[in-house]
Amino acid sequence: MSVGIFVRTALAGWVLALFAMSGAAGAQGLREVKQGIASTLEVPMNRAVVVESDTPFAELTIANPGIADISSLSDRSIYVLGKSPGLTTMTLLDESGTLITNVDVRVAADVTEFKERLRQILPGEQIEVRTANDGIVLSGVVSSSSHLQRALDLAERYAPDRVSNLMSVGGVQQVMLKVRFAEMQRSVSKSLSSSIGLNHSPHGSGLSGSAGTGTTNTSGGVANSLSGNIPGSNENVGAVLFGFNVGAVQVGLLLEALERKGVVRTLAEPNLTALSGQEAKFLAGGEYPVPVAQEGGVYSVDFKPFGIQLNFVPRVVDKDLINLELNAAVSAIDRSNESTVNGASIVSFTRRETSTTVEMRDGESFAIAGLIEDQFLDNASQLPWLGDVPVLGALFRSSDYRRSQTELVIIVTAHLVTPTRGEAFMLPTDRISPPSEADLFLFGKTSRNRSAAAGEVARQGFSGSYGYVMD
């Protein structure tokens, strides 16, 4: 008697232990199999469930023992252990060999723990988890692409290389990027040079001189004072030429001075819209043909783009947080460094380029690049010894001073945008219309301004309230 009690107690403890080990899978409830009613039993892989039959059975079989393992705890209780993903059939027979029922046993990967971890890591996300054979299928709508990637990474830990992604990202997923290029260039150059010449002449003494801007007088004794070496014109803004005779000696003095200042302002504001994760390109400028030598002395033409260039890839990371991977460049043709190769003219380009990745929220701005460049050049040339003489040495010395400053700033602003109806946009051409013949020929107008719709309504002289009424 004591042995029987011990066996029954041990069996009951074993069943209770199985329920504890099955965890959430066992919490699905004690299943009941009814006679003559087909049913499906879901069993997690490497987990066990206990099934009750409403009719006592005498024989129990499983079609594929590799998918599930079964054993009878009593003539009504069945212990089912999931071994590998798949679908098989469990058959119950009574003492006379009559079929009680067939039960479809579906074994799938255990995703109970995965669901719990998913709720802890991504609370509030509407992600549905299903099993397919030995893999995991994720579906639903998530708030951002970063949360989608986190869910996929976590699923890979439970089913490596067996994760199917059917999720989609909700919310606004289109980004408009506003880029402002601002560049200022300042240049200053000053030069002062002098030339002196002596020439023997049999003529008597006299005095002559000439002064001008941009050109110099090259006739008479003034030109002879420098032995005919005075240029017919010069590039300097100011030039003064003196010539006089001292007995039979002709003396010529040429003073040239130049002061040049320049300011260049460049401003461009390209706007570009792209879908999250997709690349967008923008070019405002042109393409310059560059000859390229081929075999046999044949030349082909390669076109090099120049101007304002912008390439960027936006990614909506989390709600209004935007990740931007962008390349921006400002280039122009530089004729000052032009060269000739085999009779072909080759020009150079000035180019300022930046490539970076930044993160910002909707409506925020970021200065991604800045350049301050300051260059100066001082040159002095003189005759040996004579140029060192105080005061008078300036007649034998030439000086040149140049300085250039450049400041460049690139600022980007990102916005989350949604499409709207085309009537809501206004184009630059909407305010201008071609002139009538009378406006063109009688008044010389090349265009005619259009009035805005609001202005037309205001001039109609309505009395009382008009427009939209909102409750």
Side-chain angles (χ1 to χ4, degrees):
M1 179 64 67
S2 59
V3 175
I5 296 175
F6 175 79
V7 171
R8 287 194 296 270
T9 304
L11 182 60
W14 181 58
V15 172
L16 293 176
L18 289 177
F19 275 110
M21 292 176 58
S22 60
Q28 295 175 353
L30 188 64
R31 302 176 181 273
E32 184 178 6
V33 178
K34 297 183 179 181
Q35 184 177 7
I37 300 178
S39 58
T40 301
L41 176 64
E42 301 285 346
V43 181
M45 187 171 61
N46 297 324
R47 293 293 183 93
V49 296
V50 176
V51 181
E52 286 286 339
S53 175
D54 63 345
T55 303
F57 60 88
E59 186 177 351
L60 182 65
T61 60
I62 188 75
N64 189 348
I67 295 178
D69 190 10
I70 59 175
S71 62
S72 59
L73 302 178
S74 66
D75 59 353
R76 292 177 179 267
S77 300
I78 308 169
Y79 172 78
V80 183
L81 173 65
K83 299 177 64 177
S84 63
L87 180 65
T88 187
T89 303
M90 180 176 62
T91 304
L92 282 72
L93 303 175
D94 59 11
E95 294 180 353
S96 62
T98 304
L99 176 66
I100 299 176
T101 186
N102 285 325
V103 179
D104 292 332
V105 179
R106 187 187 306 275
V107 179
D110 184 16
V111 294
T112 304
E113 182 182 359
F114 170 65
K115 290 180 179 180
E116 182 180 354
R117 295 293 180 263
L118 197 61
R119 287 193 297 267
Q120 294 174 353
I121 297 176
L122 300 175
E125 295 291 350
Q126 303 298 323
I127 301 178
E128 298 181 4
V129 182
R130 297 182 178 89
T131 58
N133 200 4
D134 60 344
I136 297 177
V137 179
L138 301 179
S139 61
V141 179
V142 293
S143 59
S144 65
S145 58
S146 64
H147 288 182
L148 184 146
Q149 187 60 44
R150 291 178 187 176
L152 292 178
D153 293 340
L154 182 61
E156 286 289 337
R157 304 289 296 179
Y158 288 86
D161 300 326
R162 300 189 307 276
V163 179
S164 298
N165 177 25
L166 300 181
M167 295 182 293
S168 60
V169 180
V172 179
Q173 294 297 307
Q174 295 185 111
V175 180
M176 184 189 74
L177 187 65
K178 179 181 179 181
V179 184
R180 286 176 287 175
F181 296 86
E183 183 177 17
M184 287 291 297
Q185 296 179 351
R186 297 176 291 271
S187 61
V188 177
S189 61
K190 299 179 181 180
S191 63
L192 177 64
S193 62
S194 62
S195 302
I196 188 172
L198 301 176
N199 186 32
H200 182 269
S201 175
H203 301 287
S205 62
L207 180 62
S208 61
S210 176
T213 300
T215 60
T216 57
N217 188 3
T218 59
S219 61
V222 176
N224 294 330
S225 65
L226 290 179
S227 302
N229 294 326
I230 299 176
S233 62
N234 63 76
E235 297 179 355
N236 293 331
V237 177
V240 180
L241 173 64
F242 294 97
F244 57 92
N245 300 335
V246 180
V249 178
Q250 295 178 345
V251 180
L253 179 63
L254 175 63
L255 298 178
E256 296 177 289
L258 170 66
E259 182 176 3
R260 182 178 299 166
K261 299 179 180 179
V263 176
V264 178
R265 176 178 179 266
T266 303
L267 180 64
E269 295 189 11
N271 296 341
L272 198 58
T273 303
L275 188 65
S276 177
Q278 301 297 319
E279 183 180 14
K281 297 182 179 180
F282 179 90
L283 172 63
E287 292 185 341
Y288 187 84
V290 178
V292 179
Q294 304 291 336
E295 296 181 359
V298 180
Y299 283 87
S300 63
V301 178
D302 187 14
F303 290 90
K304 298 294 183 181
F306 67 92
I308 305 297
Q309 295 176 269
L310 174 64
N311 299 344
F312 82 102
V313 179
R315 295 181 178 88
V316 181
V317 180
D318 187 6
K319 295 182 180 179
D320 62 343
L321 184 62
I322 305 169
N323 177 283
L324 289 177
E325 180 182 348
L326 59 91
N327 298 321
V330 181
S331 59
I333 299 176
D334 186 9
R335 294 286 183 181
S336 61
N337 293 325
E338 187 174 357
S339 60
T340 302
V341 178
N342 296 331
S345 179
I346 306 297
V347 300
S348 62
F349 293 85
T350 59
R351 184 176 179 89
R352 295 169 178 87
E353 182 178 2
T354 179
S355 177
T356 184
T357 301
V358 294
E359 281 189 356
M360 61 184 70
R361 297 195 178 274
D362 181 24
E364 293 182 342
S365 298
F366 218 122
I368 63 169
L371 171 65
I372 297 179
E373 186 177 1
D374 192 351
Q375 298 180 353
F376 69 91
L377 175 65
D378 292 335
N379 286 326
S381 58
Q382 64 181 18
L383 288 176
W385 303 296
L386 296 179
D388 296 330
V389 177
V391 183
L392 294 179
L395 300 176
F396 305 93
R397 184 170 57 245
S398 298
S399 301
D400 184 14
Y401 166 80
R402 298 179 183 177
R403 184 174 184 178
S404 62
Q405 294 176 319
T406 300
E407 185 174 357
L408 172 66
V409 176
I410 302 177
I411 300 175
V412 298
T413 305
H415 296 279
L416 293 175
V417 295
T418 56
T420 185
R421 299 184 62 86
E423 295 82 359
F425 293 105
M426 178 175 289
L427 303 177
T429 56
D430 292 343
R431 297 185 296 270
I432 302 296
S433 63
S436 63
E437 294 183 356
D439 291 336
L440 178 62
F441 294 109
L442 295 181
F443 302 103
K445 295 182 178 180
T446 58
S447 63
R448 180 173 53 184
N449 293 334
R450 292 180 180 176
S451 300
E456 291 289 342
V457 173
R459 282 194 292 270
Q460 293 179 11
F462 291 103
S463 59
S465 300
Y466 62 94
Y468 293 99
V469 178
M470 301 183 65
D471 296 333

